Amino acid sequence: MTATACDGGPPEAIGRKERVLYVALGASDAFGVGAEPVGNGYVYRIRDALDREVRRVDLINLGIPGAEADRIGDSARVLLESGARPDIVTLWTGANDVIAGRPAADFESDLDNLLARLRGDSGAFVVVANIPDLTQLPRFRARPEPKVTRERVRTFNDAIARQAKRHDVPATDLYAQPVERDLVSDIDGFHPSNEGHARIARHFLDVMLPALGFGPVRGANQRPMRAAGRD
């Protein structure tokens, strides 16, 4: 696995490189939980789609089950200190912070620091996703939790939107997608199923590929992604 330096130019310049380093930051969903096998997770689907457009895509998957934004930031810091310089980064974080009851202000500070590090130290093309409506996942419909409310999810998503704008990072809006049962894992009613992971990948790619100078996902079903979960 070879780390390649991003040249700091426009995102579409990445698509002209012979070798690209893609780093995925997140929690259990990035790791692939809910997919069977985990290689069907959204991160690997993104890697495969990019690999069809770029001559070679190396992947470092830093998905950490149960991780909150501060721990995800620590993993990114360690990676960058090792000398790796990602060209492309996907970041999906926040739901674990909501579930854990963390203050939105603490989460936003962690996200600010993380995006500043990624953009400043590596110059990577970063795409973030916001948090879907966790209250509509089967797990929380069956057993509501006082810390998991629509108001808190919206407050965290406002923080994600502010920081994405501040750091000039495009975002995919998972909150806008209705949650339906068929895209959630039957095992826990929480993580995405294989089809759920496919939908998440397509939503990321809908943002990523045009920015990188490519067209839509080949053969993509354009139905909206309808479920997502976090660990």
Side-chain angles (χ1 to χ4, degrees):
M1 185 175 294
T2 300
T4 59
C6 183
D7 60 12
E12 62 268 21
I14 295 172
R16 297 194 292 269
K17 300 181 71 170
E18 292 190 4
R19 199 178 187 96
V20 168
L21 177 60
Y22 164 37
V23 172
L25 296 171
S28 53
D29 298 302
F31 184 81
V33 173
E36 297 180 0
V38 294
N40 281 324
Y42 81 87
V43 165
Y44 303 99
R45 292 173 183 268
I46 292 172
R47 187 270 315 276
D48 292 345
L50 293 174
D51 208 44
R52 290 192 292 268
E53 307 291 352
V54 182
R55 293 186 185 181
R56 177 65 183 273
V57 176
D58 293 319
L59 169 65
I60 298 178
N61 189 345
L62 294 180
I64 306 171
E68 298 168 16
D70 54 352
R71 188 176 177 194
I72 292 169
D74 287 343
S75 69
R77 175 182 53 78
V78 171
L79 175 73
L80 294 175
E81 288 177 352
S82 76
R85 290 296 178 265
D87 297 290
I88 298 171
V89 176
T90 56
L91 171 63
W92 192 16
T93 184
N96 285 338
D97 302 75
V98 171
I99 294 167
R102 291 193 73 204
D106 292 351
F107 165 78
E108 185 165 5
S109 177
D110 291 334
L111 182 61
D112 183 14
N113 291 334
L114 172 54
L115 291 176
R117 181 174 292 118
L118 290 170
R119 299 288 287 146
D121 292 355
S122 72
F125 172 59
V126 182
V127 180
V128 302
N130 66 6
I131 308 167
D133 187 354
L134 301 178
T135 68
Q136 296 304 301
L137 290 172
R139 167 178 161 178
F140 295 112
R141 289 176 67 91
R143 297 183 302 277
E145 295 185 12
K147 297 174 183 176
V148 181
T149 65
R150 190 166 292 165
E151 180 180 4
R152 272 177 54 78
V153 171
R154 287 173 175 165
T155 299
F156 275 67
N157 281 343
D158 287 345
I160 292 170
R162 280 192 297 271
Q163 293 307 316
K165 182 177 181 180
R166 176 177 183 180
H167 295 282
D168 194 23
V169 169
T172 184
D173 188 3
L174 299 184
Y175 184 82
Q177 312 307 322
V179 175
E180 294 184 7
R181 186 66 184 85
D182 65 325
L183 297 189
V184 184
S185 171
D186 289 331
I187 295 175
D188 58 13
F190 185 54
H191 292 94
S193 63
N194 279 356
E195 183 64 13
H197 275 281
R199 294 280 180 253
I200 294 164
R202 287 168 184 164
H203 278 271
F204 268 107
L205 289 163
D206 282 346
V207 174
M208 297 168 71
L209 290 181
L212 295 172
F214 301 113
V217 184
R218 297 177 188 176
N221 184 332
Q222 294 304 309
R223 288 187 299 131
M225 189 278 293
R226 295 170 293 173
R230 303 295 280 175
D231 187 3

